[in-house]
Amino acid sequence: MKSKYVPGLWVLLTKGFNGGLTWKTLPIEVYDEAKKVSSMQCHFLLRHPHSFHLAKFFLKGLKSKNPTLICLALSHVYEFAAEKVEFCASMEPVEFFAHVKNSYAWSSHLTDNAFWAFTYKAFHARQIFLNTALKKGEGDPTKKPFALSLDRFREAFLDAYPLDPTLIHGKDDKICQENIELVEDILSTNKALHAKYFPPHLTHFEGQGDGTDKLLPVKKSEDCDEPSEPITCKYDGVYMSKIPDEELFFYDTECKAKHHDAFIDAVNKGAAGIKNKELAKGAGSVRKYDAFKRHGEQGNADDADESGPSNEGMAAPDNGVEASADNDMPDIKKLKIEDDEVAENMPEDGGIPNIENLRLVDEGEEEASSP
């Protein structure tokens, strides 16, 4: 695909009843001050400040303008998000979904804020569809991967962070004040997480979005409940036939295949950072000990600089190796030198050594003791 033209984001994503997403908010009455008239308008969730950026990198990363392929690629991203839902408790939504998109090469160039904005708008569009496009008691006939992946993430999130106290408190758990308080704490934490990842004003079907989406007039003939495509209740993979073979091949080999776990990379990087920090903290003492050891092995322990800081009272670093005879060489050599000096002053008959050679005496005593 050699064209540099970037179509609108709304052109690159599936719309209509079978897509399972309604990208228009519920109509609201808007008063026009200039014309002094009011009209019914709705927010279009695919036209906002991030739209061009998203469209550009969807196009650049997937090399396709095909809405079916783009939505298929997005479904794999959100399915992966559902697998990593346990990280939501320790990350803000922007950070969590940044790791999700960075796990795929094609989506890694999207900015963190743009992808999070697209995510909560997709959650919003799905809720509008489920609560307005379907009649009460009617099952969802849509089987499109993108819509299903959004449902899968929501279900996984609710399973990991339930809002039902009976799901938090096990049947076999003893009912006592301590357990009641524990359940209340967990419930409070889960509610806070839901407010972050599914903010009501941004994802509830009656919400109007973040206020950045373009307002569109609602025509009287426009009926959001009317399917724009025939209802297909069976997911038989027919939609794949709409994707050109070369584009599908490129996605399978160059996009989908280049998938890694950015969460593991982040954990390993953090662990390596801690390890390097600990090593750096103890690096000085290790170098001093090794230098002393090498100096002792050369037999120059008596020539060591005594002006430096004393190591008295400090335990020797534990390097995981038991003490060997080499470590005791300085003391053994010193003892041997002292024995040699004593031996030199011993008389040949093995008697008492000459005391004058062993201690200092006054000059007067030296003269008196001379023959």
Side-chain angles (χ1 to χ4, degrees):
M1 188 196 60
K2 299 180 180 180
S3 176
K4 293 183 179 180
Y5 168 71
V6 178
L9 182 62
W10 54 93
V11 177
L12 300 178
L13 297 174
T14 56
K15 298 178 294 298
F17 187 81
N18 272 0
L21 298 162
T22 300
W23 295 102
K24 293 180 180 178
T25 63
L26 296 182
I28 56 173
E29 186 175 357
V30 178
Y31 183 75
D32 189 342
E33 289 286 348
K35 297 180 180 180
K36 304 296 183 181
V37 294
S38 60
S39 60
M40 298 301 293
Q41 297 184 4
C42 64
H43 288 278
F44 188 36
L45 300 176
L46 293 179
R47 295 189 67 174
H48 51 80
H50 297 294
S51 293
F52 178 79
H53 172 80
L54 292 165
K56 176 183 176 181
F57 285 101
F58 285 172
L59 201 63
K60 186 176 181 180
L62 298 172
K63 308 294 183 187
S64 175
K65 297 178 183 178
N66 191 296
T68 304
L69 177 61
I70 293 173
C71 287
L72 177 65
L74 286 169
S75 72
H76 293 149
V77 174
Y78 287 101
E79 284 175 359
F80 179 68
E83 296 174 8
K84 295 297 178 179
V85 74
E86 70 271 13
F87 287 94
C88 292
S90 57
M91 294 182 177
E92 292 295 317
V94 175
E95 182 186 7
F96 173 79
F97 283 104
H99 282 78
V100 171
K101 72 175 180 64
N102 290 341
S103 296
Y104 291 85
W106 74 266
S107 58
S108 61
H109 297 291
L110 295 167
T111 64
D112 298 350
N113 289 329
F115 190 69
W116 166 233
F118 176 78
T119 297
Y120 65 69
K121 291 176 189 296
F123 289 153
H124 193 185
R126 181 60 176 162
Q127 289 304 302
I128 296 172
F129 175 85
L130 292 174
N131 288 274
T132 61
L134 297 178
K135 295 178 181 179
K136 278 191 176 182
E138 184 181 42
D140 182 7
T142 62
K143 300 292 180 181
K144 293 302 173 71
F146 184 24
L148 295 179
S149 68
L150 296 173
D151 292 344
R152 193 168 293 116
F153 175 80
R154 184 183 285 269
E155 291 168 3
F157 189 89
L158 189 59
D159 288 341
Y161 312 104
L163 298 178
D164 186 353
T166 59
L167 298 177
I168 300 174
H169 187 276
K171 294 181 180 179
D172 299 330
D173 293 343
K174 183 180 178 181
I175 298 178
C176 61
Q177 185 62 29
E178 183 179 355
N179 285 342
I180 292 174
E181 291 178 357
L182 178 62
V183 170
E184 290 177 349
D185 290 342
I186 295 175
L187 190 61
S188 176
T189 301
N190 290 352
K191 286 180 179 179
L193 284 173
H194 277 263
K196 286 182 180 180
Y197 282 83
F198 299 96
H201 67 290
L202 297 178
T203 60
H204 191 271
F205 77 95
E206 293 181 339
Q208 292 298 315
D210 57 13
T212 64
D213 307 299
K214 184 176 179 61
L215 275 170
L216 297 178
V218 177
K219 298 177 182 178
K220 293 182 180 180
S221 60
E222 186 175 336
D223 188 355
C224 296
D225 294 337
E226 183 66 25
S228 58
E229 301 175 19
I231 297 177
T232 305
C233 297
K234 230 185 209 182
Y235 172 60
D236 51 12
V238 176
Y239 75 97
M240 297 293 286
S241 62
K242 298 180 180 180
I243 305 175
D245 292 340
E246 63 275 9
E247 293 184 5
L248 186 60
F249 178 78
F250 175 81
Y251 173 70
D252 287 337
T253 57
E254 298 296 327
C255 301
K256 185 179 178 181
K258 293 182 179 180
H259 167 56
H260 67 285
D261 193 336
F263 292 92
I264 292 180
D265 295 344
V267 170
N268 290 340
K269 183 178 179 182
I274 294 172
K275 184 177 180 181
N276 292 335
K277 186 177 180 181
E278 291 176 349
L279 289 175
K281 185 178 180 181
S285 60
V286 171
R287 285 197 296 270
K288 289 180 182 178
Y289 179 72
D290 291 343
F292 174 76
K293 182 179 178 182
R294 290 195 300 270
H295 192 67
E297 289 174 351
Q298 295 172 0
N300 296 325
D302 293 339
D303 298 331
D305 184 9
E306 298 179 359
S307 62
S310 172
N311 289 329
E312 185 178 357
M314 294 179 64
D318 182 8
N319 56 5
V321 181
E322 294 182 3
S324 62
D326 293 341
N327 294 335
D328 298 330
M329 284 300 292
D331 294 335
I332 294 174
K333 289 183 177 181
K334 185 176 180 181
L335 291 174
K336 188 175 184 304
I337 292 170
E338 291 176 352
D339 292 341
D340 291 342
E341 291 177 351
V342 174
E344 290 177 359
N345 295 315
M346 288 289 290
E348 295 180 359
D349 57 358
I352 300 173
N354 191 349
I355 299 175
E356 293 177 353
N357 294 329
L358 300 179
R359 64 184 181 86
L360 296 176
V361 296
D362 296 334
E363 293 180 357
E365 292 179 356
E366 185 179 359
E367 292 175 357
S369 61
S370 62

